[in-house]
Amino acid sequence: MKSPERYVCVHGHFYQPPRENPWLEAIEQQDSAAPWHDWNARITAECYAPNAAARVLDGEDRITRIVNNYSRISFNFGPTLLGWMEHHAKETYRAILAADEASARRFGGHGSAMAQAYNHLIMPLANLRDKVTQVRWGIADFVARFRRKPEGMWLPETAVDTETLEILAAEGIAFTLLAPRQAARVRRIGGKEWIDVRGSRIDPSMAYRVELPSGRSIAVFFYDGPVSQAVAFERLLANGEHFAGRLASAFDSKRTFPQMVHIATDGETYGHHHRYGEMALAWALGHIEAHGLAKLTNYGEFLERHPPTHEAEILERTSWSCAHGVERWRADCGCRSGSPHGWNQSWRKPLRHALDVLRDEVAGPFERAAERLFHDPWAARDAYIEVVLDRTPSTLARFFAAHAARALAAEEQSEALSLLELQRNAMLMYTSCGWFFDDLSGIETVQCLQYAGRVVELGEALFGRSLEGPFLEHLEKARSNLPEMGDGRRVWDRFVTRARVDLPAVTAHFATSLVQDGPPSTYCYDVHVEGLETHERNGAKLLLGRTRVTSRLTLASESHDFSVLHLGDHRVAGGVLRDPEGDDLIERRAELVRTFESGDMEGTMRLFYRRCDRTIDSLDAVFRDDQRRIVERLLAPTLAEVEAAQRTLFERYAPLLRRLAPLRSPTPRSLLVAGELVLGADLLRAAERVAPDVLSMRRLLAQAKEQDLHVDRAAVTFTLGQSLSALAERLRERPTDPLLLADLDMAVEFAHRAGFPVDLWKTQNVFYRLAHTIYPEMRTRADEGDAAAHSMCLAFQSLAERLRVRLPDGAALPRLRSLRGEEIEEIP
């Protein structure tokens, strides 16, 4: 008798919360993610990108294959995360989309990507309108990216109730994925006797049908809990063979039907939470296939081949990460992420209540205001995702043509978009991470509060009523575990009020940023400048001009006059005047110029403060990321001056250091500091060249060793790795350039020998691709006696050894013969 079919499916839930400042639509520097700019960038480097190019090693730890894990697993990506990746991690983004296409070819036409409810709010705690919009936005985002309709949808935290399943089914979603403890009871389709499976006792090896009150149904897969837990928390990813064995061991020989072992974990498990977890995943999947332990599949393919034979009922308002249902997102239920002893999460309840009150407070006024502008306000909100995905004028025109009640004037279009932005932020403020962690002042909770701040700001402007005061009365009942953070009102003042940006602030930022080289960043605003004047005196600079600032999100627009005084270092002063016009503006500018050119800087600043609506007192007028760039530029001459002085000192006393070193006599600290600064700076300059100046780096390291000087090896390692990646990109463009091959080979060898643990990930990716495209052709030509190809093959083999990459044909090259048949000596 033939054994029933066996399948394996690994699902990765890849997700980060939206992190953009809602006034800038950009992620600002997150120091806790250092050395990366922000947590999206860090986790992309540690997880999302490595899974798109996972290494498979042989017994000698050489790369034999580089595979795209996404093409062989089931996965979902948060829509807001993909939106960020589309612009900031383009290569990885393209690899994810390509993986879905490849998986469809592999799995019978079923792509492995699943959609996700849009911004990861907890569906059972949302109202009906938000649930519907979250599903519709998730589907629309998926279709725009993957160019097909989704078969399945991931529910945030797998939090579920029947109403949510009804919405999924109504929107054409065929299946979703839940934890085993979310099943209540099961029975064979057509049968009468229910079996209680509470306590994770459900058989996870099949699909189940859930019948819904409307008469619709949806398929549900309950993943294998023990194996999923082992992957996430029991270091199963430390060994790919053990991982494969654990998956295979979950099959039950007593089952007489096709069975699927499938697991679900956070996708960040593979590389971020467990370093090299993506390699264990790649190895395990390859091992399962190679040894015929099971057939890899995804949920769409399995559902088509083996539709449900049993139906199930769910436990209402449950999730995968809270043993108490969905209490983690509204109460101090005891679920937490490792907070210090004595901390509590009693802040969760008043935070949820404050947001609920705010949401409901703006719903009625939104509906009444939007009824004047749209055929159906809530249908317009559902369709607004089209604009969120593509804010071009043509998309906006199509949107208004489809949903506006009439042709809208420019001011009415701005009002309409402001209303929809209010609603978008009113959903973003419920992103689940705001409650998941342990304190009210955490960056995830602050992010949700900033979205609430945008709701308050838009609502007060649109409806002419106070929203902030009543909201803070509720929020201040939420107390932080950190005494210095106090309560929700103090957290709001510290992290929300200070983050707000209006149109005059954009002009202040833009004008103050003009002290830097290059055009200022304008984020989600268009800034048109006219009448720019520059006046200089004794190293000081006065900038005057006029701006028209327009929000790309709401089309709100204002004109401003600006004046900025730059005193040659970090000191700036200035002002912004709203709606400037007429003779007063001309006279104001003339008085500023006269006062400045007279050398009266104090008088110039007094004019700013007396005649402007918004004053500029310092570089604080510049948005945070640009502040850092400006400070770095302003400090550059100072640092160069310090380095020059230290270099003079070091070069003068270098002979003395050489004499002291053999005597083991202590070197004065001032000379050590000078030597370490100078040699460190020279090492960085040599490392950042493309190609790196290896000979200079060897000399400098020898000098540092001789004189017992310690340089910043971490900085050199990072810089050298960046240079190697850039050099590899050049090689990708000119793969048969022998000088590039030689430069890369020399630089990689130097990094190994000098003990710099550089990141070779990008370099290996480029070389692996060339090794499987360019090298085979060269090898053929070399075997036919082509001397140039023979030389290139030798260079490829040398670099393959350095990068630990196994070439497609590992056999050594035969000795090349000349046309007269004489052997030609190989140059080592």
Side-chain angles (χ1 to χ4, degrees):
M1 181 178 176
K2 185 178 179 182
S3 299
E5 293 175 279
R6 294 186 171 192
Y7 298 87
V8 163
C9 178
V10 173
H11 182 82
H13 164 52
F14 296 90
Y15 160 75
Q16 291 298 302
R19 302 182 184 278
E20 286 77 9
N21 177 320
W23 288 276
L24 301 179
E25 286 297 304
I27 302 177
E28 297 180 290
Q29 184 97 27
Q30 295 179 315
D31 291 330
S32 59
W36 289 269
H37 176 271
D38 54 71
W39 279 102
N40 280 10
R42 176 170 177 170
I43 298 176
T44 295
E46 295 176 347
C47 173
Y48 308 140
N51 274 286
R55 279 83 170 119
V56 179
L57 307 182
D58 62 13
E60 297 178 351
D61 286 340
R62 296 176 189 270
I63 299 171
T64 59
R65 295 177 64 204
I66 294 181
V67 299
N68 188 333
N69 278 343
Y70 301 115
S71 68
R72 299 194 293 171
I73 66 172
S74 170
F75 65 89
N76 73 280
F77 268 85
T80 57
L81 174 59
L82 283 180
W84 176 88
M85 295 178 75
E86 182 180 7
H87 300 285
H88 300 281
K90 296 180 180 179
E91 189 171 345
T92 302
Y93 178 76
R94 289 192 295 266
I96 291 165
L97 302 187
D100 183 64
E101 294 179 0
S103 66
R105 294 190 295 270
R106 176 188 290 268
F107 300 130
H110 299 274
S112 286
M114 289 172 56
Q116 178 197 289
Y118 186 72
N119 67 268
H120 216 266
L121 56 73
I122 301 302
M123 296 289 274
L125 297 180
N127 63 25
L128 176 61
R129 284 198 184 105
D130 284 357
K131 286 178 179 177
V132 170
T133 302
Q134 285 287 306
V135 171
R136 289 178 177 172
W137 280 26
I139 291 172
D141 187 278
F142 185 95
V143 171
R145 299 185 191 284
F146 293 96
R147 305 298 177 186
R148 65 176 179 86
K149 292 183 178 180
E151 295 181 84
M153 175 168 278
W154 177 267
L155 295 175
E157 302 292 341
T158 74
V160 70
D161 61 0
T162 296
E163 186 175 69
T164 298
L165 293 182
E166 283 277 20
I167 295 167
L168 294 186
E171 296 300 322
I173 297 297
F175 66 86
T176 191
L177 183 58
L178 299 179
R181 70 178 177 206
Q182 294 180 266
R185 58 181 188 166
V186 300
R187 69 180 176 185
R188 180 172 288 278
I189 293 175
K192 294 183 178 180
E193 184 178 351
W194 288 96
I195 301 173
D196 190 321
V197 294
R198 285 174 293 184
S200 299
R201 290 181 293 127
I202 193 169
D203 182 348
S205 68
M206 65 177 76
Y208 293 86
R209 188 169 74 196
V210 175
E211 300 289 350
L212 300 170
S214 65
R216 299 186 183 96
S217 66
I218 188 170
V220 174
F221 293 89
F222 297 91
Y223 64 78
D224 188 303
V227 182
S228 299
Q229 287 287 107
V231 170
F233 303 112
E234 298 173 20
R235 296 193 55 78
L236 189 56
L237 295 180
N239 184 293
E241 186 173 2
H242 293 169
F243 183 21
R246 184 64 184 272
L247 288 168
S249 70
F251 290 110
D252 190 338
S253 59
K254 297 178 182 178
R255 294 184 181 123
T256 59
F257 50 84
Q259 56 183 306
M260 177 172 64
V261 170
H262 63 110
I263 63 172
T265 62
D266 286 332
E268 292 75 20
T269 302
Y270 305 103
H272 172 60
H273 298 310
H274 298 282
R275 193 178 184 190
Y276 305 127
E278 81 284 354
M279 294 173 62
L281 175 61
W283 198 97
L285 296 178
H287 182 78
I288 288 170
E289 282 191 310
H291 291 79
L293 302 180
K295 180 187 182 301
L296 299 185
T297 191
N298 62 24
Y299 294 108
E301 181 188 49
F302 186 87
L303 188 60
E304 180 185 30
R305 291 189 174 191
H306 307 290
T309 58
H310 290 68
E311 61 179 303
E313 289 184 350
I314 62 166
L315 286 172
E316 296 287 336
R317 300 167 80 84
T318 55
S319 67
W320 77 340
S321 53
C322 178
H324 315 92
V326 293
E327 296 307 297
R328 185 169 193 156
W329 298 277
R330 65 177 180 181
D332 187 7
C333 66
C335 292
R336 53 186 185 175
S337 58
S339 57
H341 178 72
W343 280 29
N344 67 74
Q345 284 72 52
S346 59
W347 52 269
R348 289 173 177 162
K349 182 177 180 179
L351 173 63
R352 169 75 59 178
H353 178 68
L355 295 181
D356 285 347
V357 170
L358 177 62
R359 176 198 63 198
D360 296 341
E361 189 74 12
V362 299
F366 161 80
E367 193 169 51
R368 289 189 292 274
E371 281 176 344
R372 296 185 292 101
L373 305 169
F374 295 113
H375 298 300
D376 181 335
W378 299 107
R381 185 181 82 159
D382 288 343
Y384 183 57
I385 184 63
E386 303 166 17
V387 177
V388 174
L389 289 168
D390 178 21
R391 294 186 182 275
T392 59
S394 57
T395 298
L396 204 55
R398 286 195 302 272
F399 173 77
F400 281 126
H403 297 281
R406 62 184 185 282
L408 301 181
E411 291 182 357
E412 291 178 313
Q413 287 188 14
S414 179
E415 180 185 2
L417 292 173
S418 295
L419 287 165
L420 293 170
E421 277 297 298
L422 177 147
Q423 284 296 322
R424 181 172 75 95
N425 283 276
M427 288 187 291
L428 290 173
M429 71 186 185
Y430 282 110
T431 301
S432 68
C433 291
W435 289 263
F436 190 87
F437 298 100
D438 294 335
D439 194 66
L440 178 68
S441 62
I443 61 172
E444 296 85 4
T445 312
V446 165
Q447 188 71 48
C448 290
L449 288 175
Q450 288 187 348
Y451 292 128
R454 184 67 172 141
V455 173
V456 166
E457 180 185 63
L458 288 168
E460 290 184 339
L462 287 163
F463 310 137
R465 59 195 297 182
S466 173
L467 295 171
E468 184 172 40
F471 175 76
L472 291 180
E473 288 180 8
H474 296 294
L475 186 63
E476 68 183 357
K477 296 174 184 177
R479 299 200 60 81
S480 168
N481 290 287
L482 298 168
E484 66 271 22
M485 292 297 175
D487 58 23
R489 183 183 289 270
R490 191 183 302 179
V491 171
W492 178 272
D493 290 340
R494 183 167 181 172
F495 296 112
V496 178
T497 303
R498 296 179 188 179
R500 283 177 174 163
V501 171
D502 58 10
L503 296 182
V506 176
T507 288
H509 155 80
F510 183 90
T512 309
S513 298
L514 290 173
V515 303
Q516 68 178 330
D517 295 328
S521 303
T522 58
Y523 298 89
C524 59
Y525 301 90
D526 290 321
V527 180
H528 176 69
V529 185
E530 58 184 33
L532 182 62
E533 299 178 20
T534 302
H535 303 270
E536 298 187 37
R537 177 184 172 85
N538 298 331
K541 185 182 293 185
L542 176 66
L543 301 172
L544 305 171
R546 181 186 177 99
T547 62
R548 183 73 185 177
V549 181
T550 304
S551 166
R552 296 190 201 117
L553 275 63
T554 66
L555 302 184
S557 188
E558 287 182 2
S559 293
H560 307 131
D561 184 72
F562 69 82
S563 46
V564 175
L565 175 65
H566 179 219
L567 296 173
D569 50 22
H570 66 282
R571 293 177 298 162
V572 294
V576 176
L577 179 65
R578 263 189 168 120
D579 297 322
E581 60 183 29
D583 296 336
D584 287 345
L585 174 61
I586 297 173
E587 174 55 32
R588 174 181 172 277
R589 283 196 173 189
E591 186 177 6
L592 276 170
V593 173
R594 286 195 302 270
T595 307
F596 172 77
E597 291 183 342
S598 72
D600 185 0
M601 302 304 161
E602 293 293 333
T604 303
M605 287 188 277
R606 283 196 297 272
L607 288 174
F608 294 151
Y609 303 143
R610 191 168 72 241
R611 300 192 175 188
C612 291
D613 300 319
R614 180 76 53 86
T615 57
I616 299 169
D617 301 306
S618 69
L619 286 175
D620 280 345
V622 178
F623 302 149
R624 193 191 324 168
D625 281 15
D626 297 80
Q627 278 183 29
R628 298 194 180 199
R629 286 191 287 271
I630 292 173
V631 168
E632 288 174 3
R633 191 191 72 81
L634 294 176
L635 283 176
T638 302
L639 294 177
E641 185 179 341
V642 170
E643 183 187 327
Q646 296 283 12
R647 186 177 298 279
T648 299
L649 181 67
F650 175 64
E651 290 176 350
R652 180 177 178 183
Y653 292 104
L656 175 61
L657 290 178
R658 284 193 289 270
R659 293 192 190 98
L660 291 175
L663 300 176
R664 303 289 182 184
S665 178
T667 303
R669 180 64 187 160
S670 57
L671 295 183
L672 284 176
V673 169
E676 289 170 357
L677 186 151
V678 170
L679 289 186
D682 288 345
L683 267 171
L684 283 173
R685 289 192 187 95
E688 68 188 8
R689 292 183 58 182
V690 182
D693 186 349
V694 170
L695 296 180
S696 293
M697 295 186 74
R698 285 175 178 157
R699 174 180 54 79
L700 291 166
L701 287 174
Q703 185 178 356
K705 182 177 181 181
E706 176 190 16
Q707 299 173 6
D708 198 24
L709 300 174
H710 301 282
V711 296
D712 187 349
R713 295 183 67 88
V716 175
T717 297
F718 180 80
T719 302
L720 186 57
Q722 296 290 99
S723 298
L724 289 176
S725 297
L727 189 57
E729 285 300 321
R730 289 188 184 179
L731 183 62
R732 188 207 299 263
E733 297 168 2
R734 306 201 307 271
T736 58
D737 187 330
L739 293 179
L740 283 178
L741 270 171
D743 284 341
L744 188 54
D745 186 74
M746 184 187 302
V748 173
E749 180 201 20
F750 166 76
H752 287 327
R753 289 184 179 274
F756 291 111
V758 295
D759 182 1
L760 294 173
W761 186 79
K762 290 184 179 178
T763 305
Q764 289 170 333
N765 288 350
V766 171
F767 182 78
Y768 178 87
R769 191 175 295 112
L770 298 179
H772 286 76
T773 54
I774 300 298
Y775 176 76
E777 179 184 346
M778 284 187 184
R779 180 59 191 259
T780 299
R781 287 164 45 196
D783 290 344
E784 293 171 351
D786 186 322
H790 188 276
S791 177
M792 288 294 295
C793 284
L794 289 175
F796 260 84
Q797 289 179 354
S798 176
L799 188 53
E801 183 67 25
R802 310 271 189 232
L803 295 175
R804 308 298 294 169
V805 174
R806 180 76 70 186
L807 289 172
D809 179 4
L813 281 168
R815 286 192 180 277
L816 188 64
R817 295 183 179 274
S818 71
L819 294 177
R820 295 179 297 176
E822 299 167 341
E823 287 189 351
I824 299 175
E825 289 296 322
E826 296 175 3
I827 299 175

